[in-house]
Amino acid sequence: SQRISCISETQNHQLLLGSNLGVFIFDENTKETVLFRKEFDNIRVDDIKWSGNNIFFATKGKGVLVLTNDSIIQIDESNGLCSNLVNKLLVTGNEVWCTTNKGVSHIILNDLDSFKYTITNIKSNDGLFSDEINDIALLNDTIYVATNYGISFFNANTDFVNHNNPPVHITS
């Protein structure tokens, strides 16, 4: 009755199913699906990634939802994310790369206990072929992003923040 977008195995070897109607757990014995948590009811989830005990969910409309210490944390446009329409996630250590319809958001988790983070957004005006990003991969230290117009790539450690003040010339 629903479209499944992604599958992820839990630590106790169950399957988490991300769908257009929420996140469900598949019970291998009964072959039934049950809602994972009520907070995910009727939320479209397109990707699920793990980092330690934290689970990251790419959603269409709610940004990134993070299940940490039995709490749900929402990272969305109001927190600095490019867009609330997140397609894919790439989690490496304390970094989360999010592909959206408005670019790539790079979240650095500074403190997992208090869940403090910083976000840098990378868009077409930073050199991407398009702001609509379909997928992302990390190979060695290079980030590859798939767009409808080709693949863009850059060093994962690139600082996209302009730290130089623009030159100001007063002519009158």
Side-chain angles (χ1 to χ4, degrees), residues 9 13 15 38 40 44-45 50 52 57 60 67 70 87 92 97 105 116 131-132 147-148 152 157 168 170:
E9 184 180 0
H13 307 290
L15 289 179
K38 64 179 173 136
F40 290 97
R44 180 175 161 183
V45 174
W50 291 76
F57 301 88
K60 293 289 198 221
L67 178 60
D70 208 38
N87 303 317
T92 60
W97 299 84
S105 288
K116 297 201 183 304
D131 285 335
E132 189 171 340
T147 74
N148 293 339
S152 299
N157 300 312
V168 176
I170 299 173

Side-chain angles (χ1 to χ4, degrees), residues 1 5 16 24 58 64 66 77 80 94 100-102 105 122-123 135 138-139 141 153 156-159 161 164 166 168:
S1 65
S5 303
L16 278 182
F24 297 85
V64 176
V66 186
E77 288 180 32
N94 68 331
T100 75
N101 64 326
K102 295 181 181 176
S105 288
I122 305 157
K123 301 182 177 194
D135 206 353
L138 174 67
L139 180 60
D141 61 350
F153 61 94
N157 300 312
T158 300
D159 185 2
V161 177
N164 298 321
V168 176

Side-chain angles (χ1 to χ4, degrees), residues 88-109:
K88 297 284 182 185
L89 299 171
L90 171 65
V91 179
T92 60
N94 68 331
E95 298 181 58
V96 181
W97 299 84
C98 312
T99 69
T100 75
N101 64 326
K102 295 181 181 176
V104 174
S105 288
H106 180 206
I107 303 169
I108 298 177
L109 305 169

Side-chain angles (χ1 to χ4, degrees), residues 19-72:
S19 78
N20 59 323
L21 297 177
V23 178
F24 297 85
I25 292 181
F26 176 72
D27 186 325
E28 192 174 16
N29 297 325
T30 64
K31 305 292 188 228
E32 293 181 356
T33 58
V34 294
L35 188 64
F36 173 57
R37 290 178 63 118
K38 64 179 173 136
E39 295 94 340
F40 290 97
D41 191 24
N42 286 318
I43 295 176
R44 180 175 161 183
V45 174
D46 280 356
D47 202 6
I48 301 171
K49 293 291 190 277
W50 291 76
S51 179
N53 293 325
N54 300 316
I55 313 173
F56 295 83
F57 301 88
T59 74
K60 293 289 198 221
K62 299 279 186 185
V64 176
L65 297 178
V66 186
L67 178 60
T68 180
N69 299 326
D70 208 38
S71 298
I72 303 287

